[in-house]
Amino acid sequence: MKFVKLLSILLLFVVHSCFSQQQKELQINGIALSENPCAKIKLVKLIPELSAGFVCDVRDAQIIEDCLELTIIYGGCSGNLELITDNIISTDLKFNMKAKWIEPSLCKALLLTKVTFDLKPYKELIKEKNALIQIMGTTFELYY
C-alpha cells in the first residue's frame, strides 16, 4: 500500500514537471514575452556568422510604428531569444539585424508567435542614411 502511494506521488511529480516545463513562456532578452511588448535590440561589436549559435526561424517581418515585428517559429516549450545589431550601415545601405536563440528549447513542439523589438534608438541613423533594415538569414528587407 505504501509502495502504491509512493509510486502515485512520484508519478504525479513527473507529470507535473513535464507540464510545467512545457508551459514556460518564451523569453526575449531574458524577460517573459508578455512583459516585453517592444523589446530592446542588443548592440554587439560584431554580428557573428550565420552558422554561429542558434538562428531563429523568422517567417515574416514588418514595421509597426517604432517596433519591428517578427513572426517566428520556435520550440514551444520555452526558449530565450534576442535580436542583435552592430549599429552599422553597410556600404550597400543596409542596417543588419540577426535573430538568435540564447537558450533554445529542446522541445519538438513548434509554435508560431509574434515578437516585437524597439527601433527608436536606431531611427535617426536608419532614416538619415535611407537604409533598409535587413534581417540576416532571411530575405526580409524593410524600409523604416
Side-chain angles (χ1 to χ4, degrees):
M1 187 70 153
K2 284 184 178 181
F3 176 74
V4 172
K5 221 177 204 182
L6 182 63
L7 188 60
S8 298
I9 291 171
L10 183 61
L11 182 61
L12 184 63
F13 175 75
V14 169
V15 168
H16 175 71
S17 296
C18 289
F19 281 108
S20 65
Q21 188 74 337
Q22 289 178 344
Q23 294 175 358
K24 277 188 176 179
E25 186 175 5
L26 173 65
Q27 294 189 352
I28 308 299
N29 302 327
I31 301 169
L33 178 62
S34 62
E35 298 171 20
N36 213 356
C38 193
K40 184 178 178 181
I41 298 168
K42 185 176 179 184
L43 184 61
V44 294
K45 288 185 180 188
L46 181 66
I47 298 175
E49 293 295 320
L50 287 176
S51 59
F54 295 91
V55 179
C56 174
D57 189 10
V58 179
R59 294 298 174 107
D60 190 30
Q62 60 183 329
I63 296 173
I64 299 173
E65 295 179 10
D66 286 327
C67 289
L68 172 64
E69 181 183 83
L70 301 178
T71 302
I72 62 165
I73 291 184
Y74 73 100
C77 298
S78 63
N80 192 358
L81 175 73
E82 64 182 14
L83 187 67
I84 59 176
T85 184
D86 57 8
N87 199 28
I88 296 172
I89 304 291
S90 63
T91 54
D92 58 352
L93 298 178
K94 292 184 181 166
F95 186 80
N96 292 313
M97 296 183 177
K98 179 180 175 184
K100 179 182 166 191
W101 287 110
I102 312 167
E103 299 166 19
S105 168
L106 300 177
C107 181
K108 293 183 180 185
L110 296 177
L111 292 179
L112 182 73
T113 193
K114 293 181 187 234
V115 295
T116 54
F117 294 91
D118 188 7
L119 290 172
K120 280 184 265 178
Y122 309 100
K123 184 175 189 172
E124 190 175 312
L125 174 66
I126 294 168
K127 289 199 175 236
E128 176 185 303
K129 300 283 185 177
N130 200 27
L132 286 171
I133 295 173
Q134 179 177 24
I135 310 301
M136 297 174 70
T138 74
T139 58
F140 298 112
E141 295 179 344
L142 306 164
Y143 282 106
Y144 183 22

